[in-house]
Amino acid sequence: YLGARAVETLVSMFEIDTNLQTATGIGRGMYRVDGKRFMAKPWPLSLFGKSLYSLSGRRRDRVLTNLRLAFPEYDEPRIHAIARASFEHFAKLVFEMIQAPRVLNLSSWSSHITFRNMERPVEWMNAGKPSILITGHCGNWEIQGYTQALLGYPVNALARPIDNPLINDWLLGIREHRGMRIITKWDATDEMLRVLNSGESLGFVADQNAGNKGIFVPFFNRLASSYKSIGLLAIDQNIPIMCGYAKRIGPGFRYELNCTDFIHPDEWQNEDDPLFYVSARWVRAIETMVRESPDQYLWMHRRWKSRPRHEVKGKPMPASLERRLEALPWMTDTLMERLRLPAVVAP
């Protein structure tokens, strides 16, 4: 905690543009560091090398593997360029989160934030109607929620508490400085329903692996376990799902808030399997965000770690799953062929 607060103090001594340049260098260094060459050395260098590899090397290997899976058409120089930029982006996020309360306010936000495709979400929220907001670890999800709350649209985001209570309270203070409210997973159900019943928005960063009990829908040409609860909640409450993200457009601290999909209840009510359709669609919206800005995505996650039962057992895709996939409006023969193949999972 003291180390985190020391970094905050140091960062606050400089302007945001200077800090972003520093963060770029830090991210580039994290990408380049290779602890493997120290792991064969005598102790304590071997211990230091293992720590370096765990911190950056293993994550870099995972990032490269995931990028090759997602973009098989890209050559190796392009894959490495995106991976390096992803590390740089991650370092910038830390600096921006610390400085957001000082940089963004009612008189300055228009110098840093622009909007695209936000007409339908704004119209819906202006009417005081409840909704589910979906984003991924793409762009700056903290700036997205912070800006919305700053402009007077209540945001309630679901998040897991950080183990260190001091760091948890400090980060909550930053996140809730302008009105965004964090709901911990430990008391989520009742609070989520209260939020929606009051006409407010409920936000999820929903692009991580949902485990063996998740619903498997396409994500970058492979089936990926995704959260059932989001679709179930939207269907049960009959509310739309609005998918969007804050995209860095630079130079400096400048972002564009963009809505990639607005899923209205009318669009799933006539589907044979509404839950599968809704889940596949919001996951596709996150894929759209990532394809727009692959260098701004945290490729470190093991998104395809869990596999559907038929893959685990080495069997062909069930006919019932094929029918649900083929019914998706955006499905193509090429994508179906790729989805039938077993996925190679990043270590």
Side-chain angles (χ1 to χ4, degrees), residues 15-64:
E15 295 297 324
I16 184 68
D17 289 353
T18 301
N19 283 328
L20 290 178
Q21 293 176 10
T22 302
T24 299
I26 293 173
R28 191 172 297 142
M30 290 173 60
Y31 176 76
R32 290 177 177 174
V33 69
D34 187 358
K36 287 183 178 179
R37 64 191 184 95
F38 292 99
M39 292 171 70
K41 303 290 183 180
W43 189 91
L45 286 179
S46 61
L47 182 62
F48 177 65
K50 290 179 181 178
S51 298
L52 280 177
Y53 181 58
S54 178
L55 177 66
S56 295
R58 182 179 290 113
R59 287 173 173 78
R60 181 188 57 213
D61 293 345
R62 188 179 299 162
V63 166
L64 292 171

Side-chain angles (χ1 to χ4, degrees), residues 213-229:
K213 294 183 179 181
I215 185 168
F216 286 87
V217 294
F219 183 68
F220 278 96
N221 306 324
R222 287 167 177 79
L223 294 175
S225 177
S226 306
Y227 299 113
K228 289 182 181 178
S229 56

Side-chain angles (χ1 to χ4, degrees), residues 127-140:
K129 299 178 181 179
S131 61
I132 292 176
L133 306 179
I134 295 294
T135 191
H137 289 90
C138 188
N140 192 325

Side-chain angles (χ1 to χ4, degrees), residues 207-267:
D207 61 333
Q208 291 180 289
N209 175 53
N212 295 330
K213 294 183 179 181
I215 185 168
F216 286 87
V217 294
F219 183 68
F220 278 96
N221 306 324
R222 287 167 177 79
L223 294 175
S225 177
S226 306
Y227 299 113
K228 289 182 181 178
S229 56
I230 294 173
L232 290 172
L233 187 61
I235 293 170
D236 179 68
Q237 297 294 309
N238 200 39
I239 56 176
I241 299 176
M242 300 187 289
C243 311
Y245 76 123
K247 174 183 178 181
R248 188 193 306 279
I249 56 176
F253 182 44
R254 295 185 63 238
Y255 275 90
E256 174 188 83
L257 266 62
N258 176 28
C259 177
T260 55
D261 200 358
F262 186 102
I263 311 172
H264 193 276
D266 291 345
E267 299 179 71

